[in-house]
Amino acid sequence: MMLEVKNLSFSYPHRQVLRDVSFAVPSGRLVSLLGPNGTGKSTLFRCILNLLSGFQGTVSIDGTDTAQIRLAKLARLIAYIPQVHYPAFNYTVLDMVLMGTSAGLPAFGVPGLKETERAYAGLAQMGIEGLAERNYMQISGGEQQLVLIARALAQDSKLLIMDEPTASLDFGNQVRVMQCIRSLVERGYTIFQATHNPNQAFAYSDQIIAMQGGTIIANGAPQEVVNAQLIDELYGIKARVESLEEGRIRFCLPVEI
């Protein structure tokens, strides 16, 4: 499932946020969006999800303009995974994942056997089916993020939009979550994620898009896009980029920034 954004611009009152943004997320790829806070990443996601109206340009899925797709159907095409959050009630893990099946239910519909099977299948894909009866608020942050991804899988969408899926996680959980995300791509899912971690983006992504000031300033393969100049332009940090034998990179920051 391919996502394409063409000439997208959006303004809040008295402030333009997105300026002529164009890019494509090919089917079966992991594409990472890099950019500092306030550059328009969240606004871009809201436009893609049709949560904001009044933008100029087009967003299409497999060639179909999303403006022509009802929200209920769009929810079955795109699944959104937020950062780890804390619900008002302490639901079980299974209940949290079952919420992802609501897009396919009629108004006031109740999840049945079919939806429960999809929820368990989503948990199994993330390797956390053993958490089904645990309270969501009583599992680790990494497990909570995997639950949110499982909820998106239960939504039965092949295009996943992820907003900083490893934010606030410790290093071990970051690696576990990214390995699970990468495994989904290998199984045919298309994933577009925002991240503040250039190393992580380089290590796991097929494509990196860099955004600054509401515009795209770089777009391409990780080894072509990520360099010291880009990091300086995005984050105002002088970094040294070193290639490692396995093809990944690391950033060595100077003592004085």
Side-chain angles (χ1 to χ4, degrees), residues 3 58 72 78 96 107 111 128 143 146 178 194 218 232:
L3 170 68
T58 60
I78 307 178
M96 286 290 292
I128 55 172
E143 290 169 336
L146 294 178
M178 288 307 303
D232 188 14

Side-chain angles (χ1 to χ4, degrees), residues 109-155:
V110 178
L113 178 60
K114 178 181 176 182
E115 288 73 28
T116 301
E117 289 176 346
R118 277 166 48 196
Y120 273 112
L123 289 169
Q125 287 192 68
M126 291 293 96
I128 55 172
E129 59 268 40
L131 300 178
E133 301 305 320
R134 294 274 301 277
N135 290 328
Y136 176 79
M137 297 285 284
Q138 296 176 356
I139 60 178
S140 72
E143 290 169 336
Q144 288 177 340
Q145 190 63 64
L146 294 178
V147 170
L148 296 180
I149 297 174
R151 183 175 68 180
L153 299 182
Q155 192 171 322

Side-chain angles (χ1 to χ4, degrees), residues 105-229:
L105 295 174
F108 308 109
V110 178
L113 178 60
K114 178 181 176 182
E115 288 73 28
T116 301
E117 289 176 346
R118 277 166 48 196
Y120 273 112
L123 289 169
Q125 287 192 68
M126 291 293 96
I128 55 172
E129 59 268 40
L131 300 178
E133 301 305 320
R134 294 274 301 277
N135 290 328
Y136 176 79
M137 297 285 284
Q138 296 176 356
I139 60 178
S140 72
E143 290 169 336
Q144 288 177 340
Q145 190 63 64
L146 294 178
V147 170
L148 296 180
I149 297 174
R151 183 175 68 180
L153 299 182
Q155 192 171 322
D156 209 20
S157 306
K158 287 295 185 181
L159 173 58
L160 309 181
I161 306 292
M162 299 186 176
D163 188 4
E164 299 181 38
T166 63
S168 76
L169 300 183
D170 62 44
F171 179 72
N173 279 318
Q174 288 182 32
V175 172
R176 293 183 189 97
V177 169
M178 288 307 303
Q179 287 175 338
C180 286
I181 290 173
R182 189 66 229 179
S183 72
L184 291 176
V185 175
E186 303 304 325
R187 285 179 250 164
Y189 286 87
T190 304
I191 298 178
F192 184 36
Q193 69 150 359
T195 178
H196 282 300
N197 190 327
N199 286 333
Q200 186 186 90
F202 190 97
Y204 292 97
S205 304
D206 300 299
Q207 175 183 339
I208 292 177
I209 299 171
M211 179 182 287
Q212 174 67 288
T215 63
I216 302 297
I217 62 172
N219 183 0
Q223 62 271 21
E224 299 170 352
V225 168
V226 180
N227 53 47
Q229 180 181 348

